[in-house]
Amino acid sequence: MDTVRPEYGGASLADVLPSVAGALKVPGDTNTLDLPENPRYAVLLLDGLGWNLLHANADAAPYLASLLPTGRRLTAGVPSTTAVSLSSLGTGLPPGAHGIVGYSSIVPETGGLLNALSWDSPVDPRRWQPHPTVFERVAAAGVMTRNVSKARFEKSGLTAAAFRGSAHRGSDSIEDRLDATRFAIREGSSALVYVYDSQLDYIGHNFGSESLEWRTELLAADQFAQRVRSSLPRDAILLVVADHGMIDVSPEDRVDIDAEPDLTSGLTLVAGESRFRHLYCVPGAVDDVRATYQSRVGDRALVLTRDQAIAEGWFGPVEPRVAPRIGDIVVAALGPLSLVAGRRFPQEAALLGLHGSLTEAEMAIPLLIDPGY
């Protein structure tokens, strides 16, 4: 299965908000994606809506499908997972710069593990991700910036790392999100409103992206996107994007790291997720660990050292403070394969729809534009 290289600086998720800022005429930001100039933008992110999935299920998403002819394909960053992608969206930077390199990763200073979604380690998000966000730059230019998502995300470390500079509007129901969006987009003389919906990803994880349940949720997401458009002023622009796609992996294609002693030998920590593993090794064990994993997965995964993955450009240019957060070995699944860790992360074994790796199904995401006229 072919891999997709992240198109940082040209056609990646990290290029979306800097391009919006450029379209809003914020000094210093470049409109790389050539978006139309406009004083009001709403950016709706539908978690898990891959480019391939949308094309394959266009009949279940008539509104979104109607935007495909004028839309374009972008790539997620690596790994293709929510915490990394949201950080790239909010900062306009690749993972090697913003420093959130996986669903989970090592905290080099302590040797502990940080789950970037739950932010379950006492790590200051402003030090972990020190760069100004796009929202901070846009707000400093006088544009009203708002973040419409679940109320519980307001105090999260990921929000502080990726979306600081935007005023959070806690909205736990569809109607609340629509009301918050309707109000926020009309504030000031110019506005940038970010709206997030996670339900499609949740259904995909639990039922699979090829399931009837997923298609049913896609229809609901399509209707929500159309209602977001209707909540905007006629001359405001709506962008619809995603953070990653998804691939289904059946139980017989799972490898449980914790159930095979050879796969835990030489390791101090396992992080990432089942489609993209960060493996941290005891000193001197990197070569043996790599050889063991390569032998076990064969051509169903790429098994690279940290230096090799950096040289391949997976994370974009990697800052010195970020490099130690990347696994000594990274394992990126290609075919139908998941590397679960049944003892460490028991919830993984129940998931059917997965993402994180560099396949087209996981990496390709849509950029859809509705100018409202």
Side-chain angles (χ1 to χ4, degrees), residues 39 45 81 85 96 107 119 122 133-134 155 157 159 163 171 222 234 237 243 254 275 303 306 338 373:
L45 190 141
T81 196
S85 288
V107 180
W119 213 268
T133 70
V134 181
K155 303 298 183 182
T159 296
F163 299 116
S171 307
D222 186 75
R234 191 165 180 266
I237 292 178
D243 53 347
R254 295 174 189 147
R275 292 283 295 173
V303 184
R306 175 191 295 137
S338 62
Y373 52 79

Side-chain angles (χ1 to χ4, degrees), residues 76-269:
V78 177
S80 52
T81 196
T82 299
V84 176
S85 288
L86 295 189
S87 299
S88 289
L89 177 72
T91 64
L93 298 170
H98 63 62
I100 296 171
V101 297
Y103 172 74
S104 62
S105 62
I106 196 172
V107 180
E109 295 78 6
T110 67
L113 195 66
L114 170 66
N115 181 312
L117 280 184
S118 61
W119 213 268
D120 57 354
S121 183
V123 173
D124 182 350
R126 291 165 180 80
R127 295 188 64 185
W128 192 258
Q129 195 301 98
H131 295 282
T133 70
V134 181
F135 293 101
E136 288 178 306
R137 298 200 300 271
V138 169
V143 179
M144 302 297 290
T145 62
R146 300 292 181 260
N147 171 3
V148 179
S149 60
K150 293 181 179 179
R152 64 185 174 88
F153 294 156
E154 180 175 6
K155 303 298 183 182
S156 78
L158 183 60
T159 296
F163 299 116
R164 59 180 180 262
S166 62
H168 191 271
R169 295 288 183 261
S171 307
D172 289 336
S173 71
I174 288 175
E175 296 303 326
D176 286 346
R177 283 177 213 158
L178 292 170
D179 285 344
T181 302
R182 185 179 297 111
F183 177 80
I185 196 68
R186 290 169 171 83
E187 293 184 86
S189 59
S190 61
L192 168 60
V193 181
Y194 164 69
V195 186
Y196 172 74
D197 188 86
S198 63
Q199 192 63 16
L200 194 63
D201 181 69
Y202 174 82
I203 294 297
H205 280 309
N206 288 280
F207 295 94
S209 60
E210 299 177 11
S211 66
L212 176 61
E213 289 86 351
W214 193 90
R215 280 177 55 85
T216 300
E217 185 55 39
L218 177 61
L219 175 59
D222 186 75
Q223 293 171 342
F224 175 60
Q226 189 165 27
R227 293 184 70 189
V228 170
R229 171 66 263 181
S230 298
S231 74
L232 306 178
R234 191 165 180 266
D235 60 347
I237 292 178
L238 172 66
L239 298 186
V240 181
V241 295
D243 53 347
H244 55 73
M246 188 168 281
I247 187 170
D248 293 354
V249 178
S250 59
E252 58 266 26
D253 290 314
R254 295 174 189 147
V255 172
D256 188 347
I257 293 172
D258 287 337
E260 300 189 25
D262 286 350
L263 297 181
T264 57
S265 178
L267 298 183
T268 60
L269 200 64

